[in-house]
Amino acid sequence: MPFRQFVLKVASRCDLACDHCYVYEHADQSWRRRPKVIEPDTLTAAADRIAEHARAHRLPAVHVVLHGGEPLLAGHDLLEQAIVGLRGALEGVCGLDLRVHTNGVTLDDRFCRLFAAHGVRVGVSLDGDRPANDLHRRYADGRGSYDRVIRGIDLLRRTYPGIYAGLLCTIDVRNDPVAVYEALIALDPPVVDFLLPHATWDHPPPRPRSETEYADWLIAIFDRWVKDGRPVGVRMFDSIIRTGRGQGSLTEAFGLDECDLAVIETDGRYEQVDSLKTAYDGAPATGCDVFTHTLDQLAASPSMAGRRAGLEGLCETCQSCPVVTSCGGGLYAHRYRAGAGFLNPSVYCPDLLRLVTHIHEHDDRARGASPPPRGSAPVVSAVALPIPQDELDALGSGYGGGEVIARLESGQRFIRRMLVTGVGETGLPGVPGAWDLLLALDRDHRDALQRVLDHPYVRVWAERCRESAAHAAPEPGYLANIVLAAAVRAGVVARLTVPVTGGLLHLPTLGGLVTGRVAEARVETGPGGFAVTAGRRRWEVRPDDRAGGDWRPVRRLAAKGLSVVLEDTDPHRDCYETPVSPRLSRKRAEEWQEMFARAWDLILADHAAYAPALAAGLRVMTPLASAGPDADASATARYAGGAIGVALPGDPATLALLMMHEFQHVKLGAVMDLLGLYKLHLYHQSDTRLYEAPWRADRRPLEGLLQGTYAHVAVADFWRVRRHGGAEADTRAAEIRYRRWRSGTLAACGTLIDSGSLTPLGERFVGKIRATVESWSDD
């Protein structure tokens, strides 16, 4: 999707010191390092890039807002140069809707004449009457700005009404909502924007009285606005009404439309929207600029993915919410929480639910439409599932084919890219160049990069980074290892100094080099391989070299129609409750190969319904340390999608059972990444009870019981088949096991449904599990 809206920063300083300003008063302080006003060559480059983009996508028009800081600090002459430059670059290419947004304190007749002469519309920030406005919008010495702002607005509305674009008001619930509304309406604005004060889960908004205080404040204005006959446009209210009717939103703060806005800073750097400055220092950064990157390259960069992902970019809570098509998850910046990134509901979630519901119910009554019945399935379950219902039902039945596994992998791929981007954008001290190389590979060699990002333990690493407070990530420099592995696959020339962990320089999907006790190594990639310098030693490595020595290549297990990685080098494979095995000897790896091939033959012969999903989704098997001669060990990790851990058992039938059992966990984990199967309160599981699980001595939380139930469908099915015979089968023992696991799985299904904590989609999913198990004969 092309960009159609641009914020062009012409000044990076301000003449007010508003204490709620997202540019200067929050986490990101990049303004300190930027030119105070934009340079002429930057203006020219920006105008040319916008024209280039419009021409390439045959856009009928683009919208540009001259912004800051305070844009009027750029001065009359530079602003005229910017306006003329933009008009000239886009002449004959497309239309241009050009605006300026100002605090209004220096808006004079000369500025207004300039804007009127060139058709530039002017928006002004004002928070209401004098007490409301001067609560935050003050000069550095504490003086209020109200009088000077009103003077500028009066100049617009009385002398230059044709360029008066409207007012923007930041909410403070301490102000009287009706008084604020009346003060704004009295100034005859064509449109009013209400802006929730920027906040995150780390710095939540103040709520002196109730959980929905911001909704209550806005509802008081909405009701008065409706009573007055909607005298002006209110972008927030109009957007909620439009999205409730299936139309597009008028603001990025609501709806599921892809974001089509890019910001150009005074130094020419492309950034994401300014509201992200509230999250963490560097949050809006993209690593791209107008001098070296086209806007198409910006659009394709990982940093833009989260804001352009629509429904798929929302967390489970939002995806199962009945107002998601209007709320859209709220403003992207308001979802941020250190350690959890942006995959959360908005910090204003209760407010948004109440406000949207109130407006939708009013609009339904006004139009004579029937509202959805209470307790009906969420909108996302009814019309916007990322997995078709028939394919989801097939998964719920315990099986699922290659097509639905491919859909699940698409969701996993998006999440991995988002997480890796989140780590990379925070900056990597000591690993300069890794982020730039990632962007270059994503632009020119995306397939090679994607092969590495698809490795299950890349997400494990990224989740560990995400869970660390304030992005003080463990081994953030490992991103360089990921990027270098992609560079090797692409055969491109790159040079980076990267950290070494435990004496092993690991390149995911390729293998590891034993370097000894060094903290870092210099890696140079090129066609055919790479070179490593660590301490006084140097290695020349070809990734496919199997001769041994210090290079430990990734091994693979092969069977009929199936090939998986035998992963015994990745440092992030230690994500299971059972310890992992160290590097296997060649003889032990051969034993794995023989056992794996025989187990797969058994699955194809006796359990063919599970084979398509396994063939499509199982990519990695990690050897676990043996739990003892008579104990079988296997495991999955919630974030290692596509991987299972297994201690090699004594016979192929047991390995087949462990593969079937553990891959059920893999499938269900991927489903739960996309869909809400149980109810959540904000981003936490609502149900904190522990439930009896027939297969464990300890009681399990709801999600653990759901996971175990789904996995034991395969366990019961395995013994169901073997009770009828088969190679080396003990039919009497199989009968006993079958009856045990069948009855236990049915009991767990009943517990889950009776819990009252499943969503309608979750109830349907568990119902499919129960129907499958009940269909098996119990004679």
Side-chain angles (χ1 to χ4, degrees):
M1 178 178 178
F3 295 106
R4 292 180 173 84
Q5 302 182 71
F6 303 91
V7 171
L8 178 59
K9 300 294 192 72
V10 293
S12 65
R13 302 296 189 271
C14 190
D15 42 8
L16 292 182
C18 308
D19 59 13
H20 59 10
C21 180
Y22 48 80
V23 176
Y24 303 108
E25 301 298 330
H26 285 273
D28 184 86
Q29 292 291 297
S30 57
W31 64 271
R32 298 179 183 276
R33 303 183 292 273
R34 294 210 161 93
K36 292 183 179 180
V37 296
I38 195 167
E39 295 290 337
D41 61 336
T42 307
L43 273 176
T44 300
D48 289 345
R49 288 298 189 194
I50 294 171
E52 172 188 55
H53 192 67
R55 185 180 296 108
H57 293 278
R58 299 181 179 180
L59 300 179
V62 295
H63 308 268
V64 179
V65 179
L66 303 177
H67 214 288
E70 170 49 47
L72 302 190
L73 290 180
H76 303 85
D77 294 338
L78 186 58
L79 281 174
E80 183 171 19
Q81 185 177 347
I83 294 165
V84 171
L86 286 163
R87 293 264 185 229
L90 290 164
E91 187 176 1
V93 177
C94 70
L96 172 61
D97 176 10
L98 188 54
R99 303 182 179 222
V100 62
H101 194 88
T102 172
N103 60 32
V105 298
T106 59
L107 185 63
D108 59 18
D109 189 70
R110 183 179 172 189
F111 276 125
C112 287
R113 282 189 280 111
L114 169 66
F115 299 145
H118 293 282
V120 180
R121 303 189 69 201
V122 183
V124 182
S125 295
L126 180 74
D127 288 348
D129 56 15
R130 184 191 303 276
N133 184 78
D134 289 351
L135 186 61
H136 298 288
R137 296 189 183 276
R138 299 187 297 267
Y139 289 93
D141 61 7
R143 289 177 297 127
S145 64
Y146 181 77
D147 289 335
R148 299 196 66 175
V149 178
I150 291 298
R151 185 181 65 186
I153 294 173
D154 281 342
L155 180 64
L156 282 175
R157 58 191 284 248
R158 300 183 192 282
T159 309
Y160 299 95
I163 62 170
Y164 185 17
L167 301 175
L168 183 146
C169 169
T170 299
I171 296 166
D172 189 313
V173 292
R174 292 174 292 179
N175 297 324
D176 180 84
V178 175
V180 167
Y181 166 78
E182 290 176 342
L184 297 175
I185 296 302
L187 296 172
D188 304 319
V191 175
V192 173
D193 269 339
F194 288 106
L195 182 69
L196 289 165
H198 290 314
T200 67
W201 288 103
D202 301 322
H203 301 285
R207 299 180 188 276
R209 289 175 289 273
S210 77
E211 186 182 36
T212 59
E213 188 150 5
Y214 291 86
D216 297 338
W217 196 93
L218 286 162
I219 286 170
I221 293 179
F222 174 80
D223 290 346
R224 172 62 183 276
W225 179 67
V226 170
K227 181 180 178 182
D228 289 348
R230 299 165 61 170
V232 301
V234 177
R235 208 180 307 271
M236 176 187 287
F237 301 157
D238 288 331
S239 293
I240 294 172
I241 291 169
R242 287 172 58 87
T243 53
R245 299 178 181 182
Q247 300 169 331
S249 176
L250 303 173
T251 169
E252 67 162 333
F254 289 89
L256 290 170
D257 298 338
E258 287 190 29
C259 179
D260 61 355
L261 184 147
V263 177
I264 303 173
E265 286 285 354
T266 56
D267 58 2
R269 294 179 185 269
Y270 295 124
E271 287 207 341
Q272 301 181 70
V273 291
D274 279 344
S275 56
L276 285 172
K277 295 178 184 291
T278 61
Y280 56 87
D281 197 17
T286 66
C288 303
D289 63 74
V290 296
F291 301 106
T292 54
H293 301 89
T294 67
L295 283 158
D296 280 345
Q297 289 171 325
L298 173 67
S301 68
S303 58
M304 298 299 293
R307 290 182 50 249
R308 296 167 66 83
L311 182 67
E312 293 182 358
L314 301 181
C315 66
E316 293 176 4
T317 304
C318 295
Q319 291 202 17
S320 60
C321 176
V323 301
V324 67
T325 53
S326 273
C327 168
L331 200 65
Y332 188 67
H334 296 170
R335 307 173 201 166
Y336 179 76
R337 183 183 185 187
F342 296 94
L343 286 174
N344 310 292
S346 168
V347 73
Y348 290 103
C349 182
D351 297 286
L352 295 173
L353 179 60
R354 173 160 162 70
L355 176 65
V356 170
T357 301
H358 180 87
I359 293 176
H360 282 182
E361 289 177 349
H362 172 273
D363 190 50
D364 288 336
R365 290 193 301 270
R367 294 187 298 131
S370 299
R374 297 288 183 186
S376 62
V379 174
V380 64
S381 301
V383 299
L385 284 175
I387 304 171
Q389 188 68 66
D390 60 339
E391 293 183 10
L392 187 61
D393 287 345
L395 278 173
S397 299
Y399 310 112
E403 297 83 0
V404 71
I405 298 300
R407 293 184 194 276
L408 293 176
E409 171 54 26
S410 178
Q412 293 282 296
R413 177 171 289 178
F414 171 79
I415 292 170
R416 285 192 297 268
R417 287 177 67 88
M418 283 289 298
L419 289 167
V420 170
T421 298
V423 176
E425 287 184 333
T426 63
L428 299 171
V431 194
W435 181 242
D436 290 340
L437 180 56
L438 173 68
L439 293 176
L441 288 167
D442 193 52
R443 181 184 65 241
D444 300 328
H445 301 279
R446 179 167 290 190
D447 289 345
L449 176 62
Q450 195 61 60
R451 285 190 65 183
V452 180
L453 295 183
D454 283 347
H455 192 58
Y457 299 124
V458 167
R459 180 174 176 184
V460 172
W461 163 78
E463 291 281 0
R464 287 171 171 173
C465 294
R466 182 175 71 92
E467 291 167 0
S468 298
H471 283 256
E475 302 179 32
Y478 187 72
L479 180 64
N481 302 59
I482 295 169
V483 175
L484 285 171
V488 172
R489 288 192 170 278
V492 303
V493 174
R495 295 178 182 83
L496 289 177
T497 299
V498 299
V500 174
T501 303
L504 187 77
L505 171 66
H506 182 255
L507 298 181
T509 73
L510 298 176
L513 179 70
V514 180
T515 59
R517 296 181 177 234
V518 296
E520 61 182 23
R522 179 74 171 175
V523 182
E524 303 170 60
T525 68
F530 60 97
V532 178
T533 303
R536 298 182 179 180
R537 295 194 62 186
R538 180 177 173 84
W539 295 263
E540 299 281 346
V541 181
R542 293 185 61 86
D544 57 356
D545 184 2
R546 305 283 162 178
D550 292 335
W551 173 241
R552 297 179 173 180
V554 164
R555 295 164 168 149
R556 298 195 72 88
L557 301 172
K560 297 174 184 176
L562 179 64
S563 175
V564 303
V565 169
L566 181 63
E567 182 59 86
D568 58 359
T569 62
D570 195 301
H572 299 285
R573 73 190 190 282
D574 62 345
C575 52
Y576 304 104
E577 294 182 3
T578 303
V580 296
S581 169
R583 176 73 169 182
L584 301 177
S585 66
R586 180 177 297 179
K587 179 181 179 182
R588 191 60 170 167
E590 290 171 351
E591 292 173 357
W592 263 91
Q593 170 58 53
E594 179 182 0
M595 190 80 74
F596 174 76
R598 292 174 62 189
W600 183 242
D601 284 344
L602 190 152
I603 290 172
L604 291 175
D606 294 344
H607 309 283
Y610 295 89
L614 280 162
L618 179 61
R619 297 196 305 280
V620 171
M621 293 185 69
T622 291
L624 301 180
S626 175
D630 299 320
D632 300 318
S634 64
T636 51
R638 178 64 176 84
Y639 298 130
I644 63 175
V646 178
L648 190 66
D651 63 272
T654 302
L655 180 57
L657 170 60
L658 296 177
M659 289 169 63
M660 292 165 55
H661 172 193
E662 296 300 343
F663 195 69
Q664 294 290 96
H665 288 300
V666 171
K667 289 190 292 185
L668 186 57
V671 169
M672 291 194 297
D673 276 338
L674 296 179
L675 299 169
L677 300 184
Y678 53 82
K679 297 173 184 176
L680 298 174
H681 175 64
L682 300 181
Y683 52 89
H684 292 300
Q685 182 177 304
S686 296
D687 190 341
T688 58
R689 293 171 292 179
L690 297 178
Y691 295 90
E692 182 178 346
W695 41 83
R696 294 179 63 122
D698 59 330
R699 296 168 71 86
R700 304 293 292 155
L702 184 77
E703 181 177 329
L705 182 63
L706 178 57
Q707 280 276 6
T709 303
Y710 191 62
H712 280 86
V713 173
V715 175
D717 203 5
F718 178 87
W719 294 114
R720 178 181 71 88
V721 172
R722 288 184 68 79
R723 70 183 179 143
H724 295 301
E728 305 173 4
D730 182 339
T731 56
R732 181 175 177 79
E735 180 73 33
I736 294 171
R737 288 180 172 87
Y738 164 65
R739 289 178 177 273
R740 175 190 175 191
W741 297 127
R742 179 179 185 272
S743 63
T745 304
L746 287 173
C749 286
T751 300
L752 287 166
I753 291 175
D754 291 343
S755 72
S757 294
L758 300 179
T759 64
L761 198 62
E763 290 181 358
R764 177 165 178 156
F765 192 85
V766 174
K768 291 294 180 182
I769 297 175
R770 183 160 62 180
T772 293
V773 179
E774 286 178 340
S775 71
W776 298 335
S777 170
D778 195 32
D779 55 54

